[in-house]
Amino acid sequence: MKINVLTLFPEMFTAVTGSILGRACEKGIITFNFINIRDFSNDKHKKVDDYPFGGGPGMVMMADPIFGALNSIDARGKKILYMSPRGNILDQTKIQQLAEEEELTILCGHYEGVDQRVLDHFDMEEVSIGDYILTGGELPAMVLIDTVARLIPGVLAGEDSATEESIYSGLLEYPQYTKPRSYEGMDVPEILVGGNHKLIYLWKFEQSLRLTRELRPDLFEDFVKNSKKLTKDEHKVLEKVLK
């Protein structure tokens, strides 16, 4: 996958191009193209914002520099995302859809947003990571990049790692433990060190069910509604939790 990012602060993205995603780049699985919007400003001071027509607080990013940046990569007609608090919330379904794209272009806004003509002309999809406001679109873009990239085959060491974790299974993740077996008077649950893989799996499944029911009842309800494909043993565990 190729990921183009239009931003005023390309240096911020070193946070997501190291470690796992860095290795994916080395393998040619992901290609990043960070574009500084200021490079396309015709102003001698590289100004990219101005006061909004009709008045109001703050400044708005001007159309011309963004048009220049997008035209430089021939972006029109391609999948372009604008990180915006008024967009649809980024969820599992959207992440999986985006992971199937061959190329994504992400626009990071700043100030009070961008000139609406940019969004209209390039038919951008607005995406939000939550109902709150940040100072810019860079952090939301990093969240989107990281969560989408993990679903691309070959990015994670284990092919099943991405979809087996936490919310991707429809349930929250069960408690995890590592060495030492006993610490400060707290012991690892005996079943996890007993060697019976079937019982270990069912214990983890039960813990996931209980945690999801307590912390995310909405997810738990959806899981129960779609539980027809569970095994006989899994159904027994679910019935136990429902009692």
Side-chain angles (χ1 to χ4, degrees), residues 149-218:
R150 298 176 78 260
L151 295 186
I152 299 173
V155 170
L156 297 183
E159 290 298 321
D160 297 327
S161 297
T163 54
E164 285 185 354
E165 286 186 47
S166 188
I167 201 168
Y168 290 103
S169 67
L171 297 172
L172 300 183
E173 193 170 45
Y174 50 82
Q176 297 274 19
Y177 301 88
T178 188
K179 296 179 181 179
R181 185 168 171 177
S182 181
Y183 183 74
E184 296 288 339
M186 297 176 286
D187 296 330
V188 173
E190 191 66 26
I191 195 169
L192 296 179
V193 295
N196 189 318
H197 295 295
K198 180 179 178 180
L199 292 181
I200 289 173
Y201 168 76
L202 292 176
W203 179 89
K204 290 179 177 180
F205 180 59
E206 180 178 347
Q207 298 306 308
S208 288
L209 286 170
R210 293 189 181 281
L211 282 171
T212 306
R213 186 178 189 182
E214 177 184 356
L215 301 176
R216 288 293 303 273
D218 56 324

Side-chain angles (χ1 to χ4, degrees), residues 35-94:
I35 302 163
N36 192 332
I37 298 170
R38 292 189 189 279
D39 292 341
F40 297 87
S41 172
N42 292 317
D43 181 80
K44 65 179 181 180
H45 300 296
K46 296 300 180 182
K47 181 180 179 181
V48 295
D49 62 310
D50 212 325
Y51 295 102
F53 282 116
M59 308 287 276
V60 175
M61 290 181 67
M62 295 184 291
D64 190 58
I66 303 175
F67 264 66
L70 288 167
N71 288 334
S72 74
I73 56 171
D74 193 25
R76 194 173 187 189
K78 298 179 181 178
K79 188 70 172 178
I80 309 176
L81 308 175
Y82 172 53
M83 307 311 299
S84 163
R86 71 184 187 188
N88 292 322
I89 297 294
L90 183 67
D91 60 11
Q92 178 185 349
T93 299
K94 173 55 65 175

Side-chain angles (χ1 to χ4, degrees), residues 3 30 33 40 51-52 100 108 110 113 122 126 130 150 172 220:
I3 301 177
I30 301 176
N33 180 25
F40 297 87
Y51 295 102
E100 295 174 1
C108 303
H110 256 272
F122 289 95
E126 298 187 52
R150 298 176 78 260
L172 300 183
F220 183 78

